[in-house]
Amino acid sequence: MRFFPLGIAGHVDHGKTSLVKALTSIDTDRLPEEKRRGMSIDIGFAFLDFPEKNLRVEIIDLPGHERFVKNAICGLAPVWGLLLVVDVGEGVMPQTVEHLRLAKSFVLRELVLALTKIDRVDAQIVELAKEEALDMLASEGMEAFGVFPVSALKGEGLEKLKAGIGEYANKHIRDRDKHLFRFFVDSAFSVKGYGTVVRGSCVSGSVAEGDVLILEPLGRPCRVRRMQNHGVFVKEGRAGERLALNIPDLEPKEVERGYFLVKGIKASNRLIVKIEGQIPKGVSYLFLGMREVSFLHRHMHEDFYLLRLSEAVPAVRGDRGPVLSSSGKHVGSYEVVHPLPVRSSKMFIRENLSLLLEHPEEYLLLERATRGLSLEELFSFYGLKVQPPKYPKVGGKFYHPELLKGLSERLRSLLSMKGGAVPLSEALSKLKVSQDLLGLILEKSGDLKVVEGYLLDTKRARLEELEGYRQLMNLLSEGIREERELHPYREHLSLAVRRGKVYSLGEYLYVSKDMFEEYVKRLKGLGREFTIQQAKETLGLTRKYLIPLLEHMDRLGITRREGERRVFLR
């Protein structure tokens, strides 16, 4: 089944709750205070099924009184669509407009318009109310998907409204199943035999029995035992669905409205945002999901700000919501452009802002520099498992090529100052890099190598100062050696061959330059030419070692083979 969360908004006493009850047979006013006062105080929940569309519309009824505007924001946070209710007798009222502006901060631009209580007025008044409401929508930059005059009391127009809601949901349903799991908590309580039950809205991703989630902003891991959707046990919950999650790891008193349950999304107490409208001086407030969080801000550039939040929130790029003044007045809205900033330098952010907006992955790599960018951070940034970036990678982290180039230049400069050899620990400290990252730099620098705890420029370093190199050369001073004999010195051997201090004869055989020259000198003592047998007797070598040696002399142009003899060319 597909799920579509729909908010029901409008001025107090315009008939929202009565309309929901007429559509669904569910009374969303569940609190005794709401019954006594005859108005909604908190958000209420119901659902409307469309079996032919394989669709369930999850209804969230928003309180209409101005004193409960923050509860209205909580109700708007998880919805993907809006049903605006206007009493035809009263027309557009202050909270009608307020709810619309709050909805705009969550990027709701098209809505269903229900004109209620039509049984109390004549057709002309209904038409005037319709015109007024449509004018108001146009002035706020919003559109009506459809206009439905109804009477909850007499049932007039309800079927047409219900059909309109189904069509509207079909048009605006969001594909959020593939996103990382995020759940807005609106309540928690204890159930005998089960323990804590956390109730709220799944706004993205999916959750299954047995999943381990993180409760933010506490950072508490917890496991889901069972779950329900409107009183029915289900094995899996999906984006857009109202859920009750049985999580016995938690205590109800630990959980507050506005907390989050997440899987794979990291929390941060800093955000880079774009602001529309005003941003008050000093302490201000924003709603991320159902959570009201205070913040201080620094202006970065034009409409972009760095916010320092009073607590960490699991935001993702593209999150939107309202901004409130310290008095609780709605003054603007925000859009998250960077949910996990690690650099707060105004200069860095300004210089790279266009990169953040157009090529965010490159910005993240530059920002994280030698820390590197993990896939988990990238997925959390988007709230989605995106394709891995095509950048150099080591140790599970990605790095910017320009960073590697700059580090390589700094490394060469350091080696130049130190005569071609630097203790590895000193190199790591000076460059402030991990050993994994240093290895990635060395991969692209063929003449730099780590040997015996030293970082060497193999073209410049004094190999004689390395104990392993001295032992290697002592061994080779005794004659030709097989590679297996030299295995303990393989790194030193590679350096020695590169420096021309040792020759590879092929056949996994090696000889030092000095020993090779000694062999040549002794063979020259035989005259201008010699046979293999003469060479064997002179050098005391078996054919296993002698033939590769003579062939190497041929390759170097020292000798030339003529039948069974070899002739010196120089």
Side-chain angles (χ1 to χ4, degrees), residues 113-145:
L113 178 61
L115 302 175
T116 58
K117 305 182 184 181
I118 62 172
D119 55 296
R120 298 183 180 184
V121 298
D122 59 33
Q124 188 176 8
I125 297 297
V126 173
E127 192 60 30
L128 287 173
K130 175 182 175 181
E131 290 178 10
E132 180 191 25
L134 291 176
D135 287 344
M136 181 268 299
L137 289 180
S139 69
E140 294 294 330
M142 302 186 78
E143 297 179 2
F145 173 83

Side-chain angles (χ1 to χ4, degrees), residues 189-233:
F189 49 91
S190 182
V191 176
K192 188 175 181 180
Y194 290 93
T196 299
V197 173
V198 176
R199 189 163 52 193
S201 298
C202 176
V203 294
S204 65
S206 61
V207 62
E209 289 182 356
D211 280 357
V212 175
L213 310 176
I214 304 297
L215 178 69
E216 296 290 4
L218 301 184
R220 278 279 310 276
C222 51
R223 186 182 298 275
V224 178
R225 179 190 286 173
R226 301 193 73 181
M227 68 184 80
Q228 288 185 350
N229 171 245
H230 295 286
V232 177
F233 283 104

